[in-house]
Amino acid sequence: MYKENRMNEYKDFTQRWLDLIGKPVNYDFKHNLQLIRKFETAEFDGELYEQANGPGTVQRTLLMLPKTINEKLPAVVVPFYYPDRAAGYDLDTLEPTNEPNNAMALHLVRRGYVTVTAEAYHLTYRNLELERQDFSRWRLTADTLLHDHPEWTGIGKLIADTQLLVDLLCSDPRVDNERIGIVGHSLGGKMALYTGCLDPRIKAILSSDFGIDWDRTNWAEPWYWGEKINQLKAAQMDHAELLRISGLKPFILIAGLYDNEDALDYLMRAGYSDSSRYLFINHASGHRPPLEVLDQAYDFLQTCF
């Protein structure tokens, strides 16, 4: 009876998160995946797709594969701004991007994982004559999204698009569906946390310096929670609760700038007590995680499958 009551409690808590995240209406679309091209680098084989991610919209999606595949492989979703940065390669020129700390998908494919990464919705939902690096895209696109779907949230759109990457992995015969993780930094860390906690297909989560406390980063921006942040705070809903309703999946939190030592308290309040189920690292050296810290996190991730 206790176990059943606890499960019902988790369902109730999960539903109140889903209710606030919202769900768009008149948003039906055909789930289509079109291969654009294949390419090779010295480190991985790439498959570039256009994946439908809404009515009339697509997200460029990069699948990265180890050079040798002899069996079904574990896989990791790596959400970020756009594929080039997570892949460590410019997808047009195949030249290195020279942002080694951001190239998490590249780090992981080197370790034998299949990885997938895609454009975030600031590049896909609205056509804008702006450079993709122009941060004003986020506000302009979020304003349009929320005008079209006032019952939804920016974080809801980020989750929905990221779950499409999980769909892609689950449909790929080269992937072991029981060994899928999610890894992200900053914006990607937010996407990793939410998608990882709410999607049962994801077995482990690594989030880097995303701001686990509501007030340590920009959760109130319209491309995340917008004004609904006040409802979350009033209801005393926080990311400790979100982690708890995930079932305490293996979780790695890297702190650096927007997260600090206080972030560990969230893991403790969520219920993490077994050190084999979580890893907390505070490098305290700025926003971008040092490569040696990422290696430590990847080593722990490898034990989670």
Side-chain angles (χ1 to χ4, degrees), residues 5 7 21 87 102 110 121 150 197 199 228 252 255:
N5 289 341
M7 288 179 66
I21 287 167
N102 286 331
R110 286 171 176 163
Y121 78 86
C197 286
D199 192 321
K228 283 189 176 181
I252 304 159

Side-chain angles (χ1 to χ4, degrees), residues 113-248:
Y113 295 92
V114 176
T115 64
V116 64
T117 183
E119 294 172 321
Y121 78 86
H122 70 306
L123 297 175
T124 69
Y125 189 79
R126 178 179 175 182
N127 290 323
L128 293 169
E129 296 296 324
L130 296 171
E131 294 293 326
R132 64 181 181 177
Q133 296 91 343
D134 191 327
F135 203 79
S136 64
R137 276 181 166 276
W138 281 102
R139 186 168 300 278
L140 294 169
T141 304
D143 287 346
T144 302
L145 177 78
L146 298 177
H147 175 270
D148 294 344
H149 301 286
E151 69 287 346
W152 210 10
T153 52
I155 194 69
K157 173 61 171 166
L158 290 168
I159 296 166
D161 285 354
T162 307
Q163 287 184 307
L164 292 172
L165 305 185
V166 186
D167 293 344
L168 186 154
L169 291 177
C170 288
S171 66
D172 194 306
R174 296 164 292 193
V175 171
D176 181 346
N177 292 353
E178 295 302 314
R179 294 189 291 163
I180 296 176
I182 191 164
V183 169
H185 170 67
S186 192
L187 161 77
K190 290 177 166 68
M191 297 161 77
L193 174 72
Y194 275 79
T195 309
C197 286
L198 295 172
D199 192 321
R201 297 171 297 178
I202 293 173
K203 308 305 182 186
I205 307 164
L206 190 167
S207 290
S208 167
D209 208 42
F210 64 93
I212 198 168
D213 186 276
W214 292 129
D215 296 325
R216 287 194 64 86
T217 185
N218 58 343
W219 289 106
E221 295 291 1
W223 53 90
Y224 294 128
W225 276 107
E227 293 180 359
K228 283 189 176 181
I229 194 76
N230 297 319
Q231 293 176 250
L232 290 158
K233 290 179 177 180
Q236 297 185 319
M237 296 166 66
D238 65 13
H239 292 129
E241 179 179 287
L242 187 65
L243 286 164
R244 191 180 310 119
I245 64 176
S246 80
L248 299 181

Side-chain angles (χ1 to χ4, degrees), residues 40-105:
E40 295 183 14
T41 73
E43 301 186 274
F44 66 91
D45 293 335
E47 296 177 2
L48 185 64
Y49 294 89
E50 284 188 348
Q51 183 180 37
N53 70 333
T57 64
V58 297
Q59 57 186 8
R60 285 215 313 171
T61 300
L62 176 65
L63 190 69
M64 299 167 66
L65 301 148
K67 300 295 287 184
T68 301
I69 301 177
N70 296 319
E71 59 184 356
K72 287 194 173 191
L73 296 176
V76 180
V77 180
V78 188
F80 205 45
Y81 289 86
Y82 47 86
D84 310 57
R85 297 186 72 187
Y89 282 82
D90 184 301
L91 297 187
D92 294 323
T93 66
L94 296 185
E95 294 294 321
T97 57
N98 296 316
E99 291 185 299
N101 305 69
N102 286 331
M104 290 177 155

Side-chain angles (χ1 to χ4, degrees), residues 104 111 185 205-210 212 251-265 267-268 275 278-301:
M104 290 177 155
R111 285 175 168 251
H185 170 67
I205 307 164
L206 190 167
S207 290
S208 167
D209 208 42
F210 64 93
I212 198 168
F251 183 63
I252 304 159
L253 174 57
I254 299 175
L257 176 63
Y258 298 110
D259 287 307
N260 59 16
E261 284 295 319
D262 294 339
L264 181 59
D265 177 60
L267 276 65
M268 298 299 100
S275 60
Y278 77 93
L279 176 67
F280 176 72
I281 309 169
N282 181 17
H283 58 84
S285 62
H287 187 41
R288 292 189 178 186
L291 293 176
E292 60 270 20
V293 168
L294 289 173
D295 280 334
Q296 185 180 349
Y298 300 148
D299 287 345
F300 186 89
L301 180 69

